[in-house]
Amino acid sequence: MEKENVAHPQKLGLKNRHIQLIAIAGTIGTGLFLGAGKTIEMTGPSIVFSYIVIGIAMFIFLRTIGELLYNDSSQHSFLNFTTKYVGQRAGYFVQWTYWLVLVFVCISELTAIGTYVQFWLPHVPLWLIEVVALVLLFGLNTLNARFFGETEFWFAIIKVAAILGMIGTAIFLLFGHFSYASVIQGQSFKGAVSISNITHNFSFFPKGVMNWVSALQMVMFAFTSMEFIGMTAAETEDPKTTIPKAINQIPVRILIFYVGALLAIMTIFTWTHIPADKSPFVMVFELIGIKWAAALINFVVLTSAASALNSSLFSATRNMYSLARQHDRGKLTGLTKLSRNGIPLNALYLVAGLSIFAPILTLIPQIQNAFDFAASCTTNLFLIVYFVHLYTFYKYRKSNDFNPEGFLTPRAKITVPFVLFIFCAVFLSLFFHTDTLFPALGALVWTIVFGIYSRTRKI
């Protein structure tokens, strides 16, 4: 068995413009574009505070990743540090768990793509849309890896422009005193773009404390995958410059892209009438009668989901390749074979095959919302990986490798326990809502069963 760290089968060839835009794109995803509808429906304007609190926690978490990668960027992934500082068995557990996470991300993004396409094709089955999307993105991932960086660069530009355009439109409509008449569930509704849509009868828990707590899961899902920033930074020409720059810009991006976008949505339309199962970015324009803008935004959020699926397929495939190289005992040899242009094609086939569970989920009647179910599974497993990383960071700080002159996590003795508390609160919240209970139990079963296996397996 190979015990050294295995690099990616092909360098990404990322330039600084790629890493900066991909870093921005990592803070804008389906959790915001689609998941915000449900969180707004559950908690109203107070959801902004949830995004701020979890955003702060994620920034500190990324600083812990940044500190490790800055000290040793040759590791390529924050996951490799678990093997280095905790042990090979823990590293085995966290690497396979993270790979499973990426598969669930693929499933989540596929369900989102189906929802977006149904905006134009409401009578086409979700499962069919998802299968077609998977085939197209599979084909894209068979191309040269350098093409990945360029594709994500342009996807990122579209997403950033959409958010800024959304905020700018809200400001324009607000100062233009725009009013509208809409029809909601067969009843006429008149309204206006106004700050009062947020402040009128404001309540921190308009639908109860438990709804507010339950919404934390989807907020957390909106921030997951941000660690990809640190993982791609290792592929740049100057990681010691790129890592701090990319991570330190996260707080500003959270304020602009998350808080700004949510406030814009709720300023344009009364939050109590925004549908929970659709993208609020699209529906606010649909409801106020600007249908061309709704169609444009739907195209943008569709490209966002396609971008996220593209990234997840790419990452899950490379992770599978790396795992097969490290833990091959004659069973995974086929997954280490590369195509002529350096693509681990068999690993890509495996990931795509598992992603086909997305259309299967939409056909199971017991699952009311396939996206919520997949997003819950993703959040659960991400949190397990995050908990292991925080322990890894603790072990690093206690080791001789700790560099007090490096890119340090600010006030780590205070901030890291704060992050742990927030992550624990989110994980516990998953057990208090019917939509997230079974995914939460599944994550516990995986952690216990696979944890025991990882602990007892021969090295």
Side-chain angles (χ1 to χ4, degrees):
M1 181 183 71
E2 293 182 35
K3 295 184 180 180
E4 74 275 9
N5 295 313
V6 180
H8 293 301
Q10 188 181 74
K11 285 285 186 179
L12 297 184
L14 296 176
K15 300 183 183 300
N16 187 60
R17 67 183 179 92
H18 290 134
I19 188 65
Q20 289 302 319
L21 263 296
I22 291 174
I24 294 174
T27 65
I28 311 169
T30 306
L32 175 65
F33 282 136
L34 183 57
K38 183 172 183 177
T39 56
I40 290 173
E41 188 270 338
M42 294 175 74
T43 70
S46 65
I47 195 61
V48 170
F49 297 103
S50 302
Y51 272 91
I52 291 174
V53 171
I54 294 183
I56 292 171
M58 282 302 297
F59 168 65
I60 297 167
F61 178 77
L62 287 175
R63 284 293 298 261
T64 66
I65 291 177
E67 181 173 338
L68 287 166
L69 286 172
Y70 185 91
N71 193 50
D72 183 8
S73 60
S74 67
Q75 295 295 334
H76 296 285
S77 167
F78 75 100
L79 301 173
N80 293 335
F81 291 103
T82 299
T83 301
K84 184 175 181 180
Y85 295 111
V86 183
Q88 290 188 34
R89 289 184 172 88
Y92 180 85
F93 170 82
V94 77
Q95 287 172 352
W96 278 101
T97 301
Y98 191 78
W99 175 78
L100 185 61
V101 166
L102 293 174
V103 172
F104 273 108
V105 171
C106 293
I107 294 172
S108 302
E109 299 302 340
L110 263 180
T111 58
I113 288 173
T115 302
Y116 296 144
V117 173
Q118 278 197 325
F119 176 80
W120 292 300
L121 305 172
H123 302 299
V124 177
L126 271 175
W127 67 266
L128 180 59
I129 297 171
E130 291 163 0
V131 169
V132 172
L134 181 59
V135 170
L136 291 175
L137 269 296
F138 173 86
L140 185 63
N141 270 267
T142 61
L143 302 177
N144 189 284
R146 188 180 296 272
F147 185 72
F148 167 81
E150 200 65 36
T151 302
E152 286 302 295
F153 173 75
W154 290 105
F155 273 145
I157 288 178
I158 293 173
K159 285 195 281 187
V160 171
I163 295 289
L164 295 178
M166 179 83 179
I167 296 171
T169 301
I171 294 172
F172 176 78
L173 295 176
L174 176 65
F175 286 99
H177 304 289
F178 184 85
S179 59
Y180 48 83
S182 184
V183 177
I184 301 174
Q185 296 179 344
Q187 295 184 347
S188 298
F189 176 82
K190 292 184 178 180
V193 178
S194 173
I195 297 294
S196 64
N197 289 335
I198 298 175
T199 59
H200 183 64
N201 292 329
F202 175 83
S203 172
F204 206 91
F205 307 115
K207 295 191 176 181
V209 175
M210 290 312 300
N211 264 323
W212 189 86
V213 172
S214 296
L216 292 176
Q217 176 270 138
M218 191 58 72
V219 177
M220 187 73 204
F221 176 71
F223 285 105
T224 55
S225 296
M226 289 176 70
E227 70 282 348
F228 188 63
I229 296 169
M231 296 169 75
T232 52
E235 299 288 351
T236 58
E237 298 172 356
D238 185 12
K240 287 190 179 294
T241 300
T242 307
I243 290 173
K245 186 175 182 180
I247 293 177
N248 283 336
Q249 290 176 352
I250 294 297
V252 175
R253 291 170 186 158
I254 289 171
L255 288 174
I256 294 175
F257 297 122
Y258 282 87
V259 177
L262 290 169
L263 291 176
I265 289 169
M266 292 182 285
T267 297
I268 293 174
F269 203 81
T270 305
W271 70 267
T272 52
H273 293 95
I274 296 176
D277 59 343
K278 306 245 191 266
S279 171
F281 288 79
V282 177
M283 293 311 297
V284 289
F285 291 111
E286 178 81 2
L287 290 168
I288 66 176
I290 310 179
K291 297 189 182 298
W292 67 265
L296 177 61
I297 293 295
N298 193 67
F299 170 76
V300 170
V301 296
L302 175 59
T303 63
S304 172
S307 167
L309 179 56
N310 186 44
S311 296
S312 300
L313 283 172
F314 183 95
S315 300
T317 299
R318 267 65 185 174
N319 272 267
M320 185 70 261
Y321 169 87
S322 181
L323 286 169
R325 286 282 306 276
Q326 293 182 70
H327 309 296
D328 180 25
R329 292 181 176 177
K331 298 179 181 179
L332 304 176
T333 303
L335 298 173
T336 64
K337 294 181 180 179
L338 302 177
S339 65
R340 290 182 178 179
N341 55 352
I343 305 298
L345 203 55
N346 289 339
L348 179 59
Y349 274 117
L350 175 63
V351 173
L354 292 173
S355 299
I356 209 71
F357 276 101
I360 293 175
L361 286 178
T362 64
L363 297 174
I364 300 176
Q366 288 79 9
I367 299 178
Q368 297 181 351
N369 190 311
F371 174 74
D372 289 348
F373 184 89
S376 298
C377 293
T378 305
T379 304
N380 299 336
L381 292 171
F382 260 121
L383 285 170
I384 298 299
V385 172
Y386 290 174
F387 288 140
V388 176
H389 168 73
L390 290 175
Y391 181 68
T392 300
F393 177 76
Y394 169 79
K395 296 288 285 185
Y396 159 74
R397 278 291 185 107
K398 295 293 183 181
S399 73
N400 293 330
D401 291 342
F402 172 57
N403 179 14
E405 303 299 323
F407 179 52
L408 299 181
T409 304
R411 300 185 179 275
K413 292 183 179 180
I414 299 174
T415 56
V416 174
F418 165 76
V419 174
L420 183 61
F421 171 78
I422 295 298
F423 287 177
C424 286
V426 174
F427 190 79
L428 290 175
S429 73
L430 299 165
F431 294 89
F432 293 95
H433 199 275
T434 54
D435 291 342
T436 58
L437 175 60
F438 288 106
L441 291 173
L444 276 183
V445 171
W446 166 266
T447 302
I448 294 171
V449 174
F450 190 66
I452 293 174
Y453 171 76
S454 301
R455 180 73 177 173
T456 57
R457 67 183 291 270
K458 292 182 180 180
I459 297 178

